Amino acid sequence: MERRAALGERLHRVIGPRFPDLGVKLTGMLLELPVPVLDQMIHDEELLSAGLEKALSTLQNSTEKCARDKVFCLTSSLFKTVEDDTDSDSTDSLGDQLYDLVDSHRTGHSEQITGMLLELGSNEVKKLVSDPQLLEQKIHIAREALEQALPPKTCVSDLDCDDVKERLGEKIFEQVEKIDPKNCACITGMLLELDPSAIQKLLTDSLALKGAVERAQAALPQAAAQRSSDSDLNNEDVSDLDSETENLGEELYSYINSTKYSLHSSKLTGMLLEMPHSSLVELLKSQKQLDEKIQLAAAALTDS
């Protein structure tokens, strides 16, 4: 109830200036909605506008039937509930429970999907809460509908793409770590070579992510063999490479030692020196990419 009251205050601060005479009444009408939906309204202007439009329509065109209904008219129009869904506290509890279950699937759209599923009404939601398989099917359908409706995310510049990939890298590392803790850093690096839109899809589709990780795992031995082959082909330049690697190592160590990971400078430097020589050279040219690799290596070191 405290959460609902806090949301009511936030809603009224937004609604009051728009509708000075009806602010309190409109806020009260919206507060009949489930808490997860109210949370979403706070951050979604389109949903809030749609809710206000429904509420205003209800006020202006109320009928005797609406007055007799035990179900609030706005809730009925937005979520298609049935007339026996009269217990507000029970609905709130059911909505919170559904949100927690949806959120555990890590779709990236927990609030939106919860709102969509609540449209089915409390009887159907109770079935979803008690049937994990049915819930997963409904979540999949809702996620696909959302992805088709949402515009694709694009990068305005190379710098924007770097920022996007850095954020996606942190998120996808957490997921990959659960699948393959031993090779999560290497696999994350491989997946970050994909376009941001493809990475985003992996974050919202656990099956696709699992398939991508399996393909990366299969490619790991091949990548190691390729590095070994490259080493054999360049045996004549081993001394020069060793000298260059030593210089790169010193440069890496000096940089890492100036960061918050200074306590693990030696280990992190050694981990990064496992990368191909050419990749290290390019990495040192971009501080943002270097910081990203250091963060991934530090995370892998902490979990090892």
Side-chain angles (χ1 to χ4, degrees), residues 234-280:
N234 294 289
N235 279 336
E236 295 179 1
D237 300 322
V238 168
S239 60
D240 292 337
L241 285 175
D242 286 345
S243 177
E244 291 183 19
T245 300
E246 183 177 350
N247 292 334
L248 291 174
E250 292 176 357
E251 188 174 350
L252 278 171
Y253 180 85
S254 177
Y255 180 78
I256 296 173
N257 204 39
S258 68
T259 69
K260 64 180 180 179
Y261 303 108
S262 57
L263 292 176
H264 305 292
S265 297
S266 298
K267 291 183 178 180
L268 293 174
T269 300
M271 294 171 70
L272 293 180
L273 286 175
E274 294 295 323
M275 298 174 60
H277 179 271
S278 60
S279 298
L280 280 175

Side-chain angles (χ1 to χ4, degrees), residues 39-296:
D39 276 329
Q40 186 179 350
M41 276 190 170
I42 293 293
H43 302 94
D44 190 329
E45 177 62 27
E46 290 185 4
L47 182 61
L48 176 58
S49 297
L52 288 172
E53 184 178 346
K54 293 286 186 182
L56 286 169
S57 176
T58 300
L59 283 175
Q60 296 169 358
N61 303 293
S62 61
T63 62
E64 293 182 0
K65 181 180 184 301
C66 284
R68 292 195 303 270
D69 285 343
K70 294 182 180 180
V71 182
F72 188 61
C73 297
L74 174 60
T75 306
S76 178
S77 63
L78 285 176
F79 302 102
K80 300 177 185 177
T81 51
V82 292
E83 292 186 358
D84 59 351
D85 294 336
T86 57
D87 191 336
S88 177
D89 291 338
S90 176
T91 300
D92 293 341
S93 176
L94 194 59
D96 292 339
Q97 188 176 357
L98 178 63
Y99 176 85
D100 291 338
L101 291 173
V102 172
D103 193 49
S104 68
H105 285 262
R106 299 184 179 278
T107 63
H109 307 292
S110 299
E111 292 182 352
Q112 295 94 326
I113 290 177
T114 300
M116 293 170 71
L117 295 181
L118 284 172
E119 294 182 15
L120 301 174
S122 65
N123 288 337
E124 189 67 23
V125 171
K126 289 176 182 178
K127 294 179 183 178
L128 297 178
V129 169
S130 61
D131 189 337
Q133 186 174 359
L134 178 61
L135 175 61
E136 185 175 359
Q137 293 175 356
K138 295 295 186 181
I139 289 175
H140 181 72
I141 294 172
R143 180 178 55 77
E144 285 190 339
L146 276 173
E147 290 177 354
Q148 291 175 4
L150 292 174
K153 296 183 179 179
T154 57
C155 300
V156 176
S157 65
D158 291 340
L159 182 60
D160 290 335
C161 286
D162 289 340
D163 291 339
V164 170
K165 280 200 171 184
E166 182 176 354
R167 292 193 296 270
L168 292 177
E170 295 174 358
K171 293 181 180 179
I172 204 166
F173 178 84
E174 296 177 358
Q175 302 303 316
V176 173
E177 186 181 24
K178 297 175 182 179
I179 301 174
D180 188 342
K182 181 179 179 181
N183 300 306
C184 55
C186 293
I187 293 175
T188 299
M190 296 170 72
L191 295 181
L192 286 175
E193 296 298 322
L194 300 171
D195 290 334
S197 58
I199 298 174
Q200 183 67 48
K201 181 172 178 59
L202 294 180
L203 288 170
T204 58
D205 189 333
S206 58
L207 292 179
L209 175 61
K210 184 177 180 181
V213 170
E214 290 176 350
R215 290 192 292 273
Q217 289 171 326
L220 284 175
Q222 183 179 355
Q226 182 63 41
R227 288 197 296 270
S228 176
S229 176
D230 291 342
S231 177
D232 292 339
L233 292 174
N234 294 289
N235 279 336
E236 295 179 1
D237 300 322
V238 168
S239 60
D240 292 337
L241 285 175
D242 286 345
S243 177
E244 291 183 19
T245 300
E246 183 177 350
N247 292 334
L248 291 174
E250 292 176 357
E251 188 174 350
L252 278 171
Y253 180 85
S254 177
Y255 180 78
I256 296 173
N257 204 39
S258 68
T259 69
K260 64 180 180 179
Y261 303 108
S262 57
L263 292 176
H264 305 292
S265 297
S266 298
K267 291 183 178 180
L268 293 174
T269 300
M271 294 171 70
L272 293 180
L273 286 175
E274 294 295 323
M275 298 174 60
H277 179 271
S278 60
S279 298
L280 280 175
V281 173
E282 292 300 318
L283 186 63
L284 287 168
K285 294 179 181 179
S286 172
Q287 182 177 343
K288 183 173 291 291
Q289 292 182 13
L290 177 57
D291 289 339
E292 180 182 327
K293 292 295 184 183
I294 291 173
Q295 290 174 7
L296 292 175

